[in-house]
Amino acid sequence: MYICPVCGYDKLREEPYDNDGNPSYEICNCCGFEFGYDDSSEGRNFETYRKRWIEKGASWFNLKARPVEWDLEKQLININTNI
Ligand SMILES: [Zn+2]
């Protein structure tokens, strides 16, 4: 399992980017970020995406994957980030 660099979700099926920087195009179940569609010119880098996602209420992209007990702050520890 891999960790989402945007939200800290730790159950990505694929590595978001391989050693050559090729994206997986997987969409994070949690924040909905699609690896490969990060473009800082459009404000879709990890940090701005995370900020917007949290501002909008940090809702899950795939609600079925949402654990019953879920804590955003704990998850963000995975990527050494806090709110
Ligand atoms: Zn994510």
Side-chain angles (χ1 to χ4, degrees):
M1 298 285 192
Y2 297 93
I3 292 174
C4 173
V6 176
C7 69
Y9 178 67
D10 61 359
K11 291 182 178 59
L12 293 179
R13 287 185 305 270
E14 292 181 64
E15 196 172 14
Y17 301 89
D18 67 16
N19 288 337
D20 297 322
N22 299 311
S24 66
Y25 294 104
E26 180 174 354
I27 298 175
C28 176
N29 274 334
C30 181
C31 67
F33 194 89
E34 183 170 1
F35 307 106
Y37 285 93
D38 47 296
D39 183 342
S40 44
S41 65
E42 291 174 37
R44 280 182 68 86
N45 62 33
F46 300 157
E47 212 154 304
T48 54
Y49 189 93
R50 180 191 308 125
K51 202 162 165 272
R52 269 186 230 158
W53 174 68
I54 291 172
E55 277 169 5
K56 285 181 189 168
S59 54
W60 276 64
F61 179 76
N62 180 359
L63 272 176
K64 285 181 195 148
R66 188 187 193 283
V68 181
E69 302 265 332
W70 180 70
D71 188 324
L72 173 63
E73 285 187 54
K74 275 186 198 155
Q75 183 171 284
L76 289 173
I77 292 169
N78 292 340
I79 49 170
N80 295 314
T81 300
N82 48 40
I83 301 170

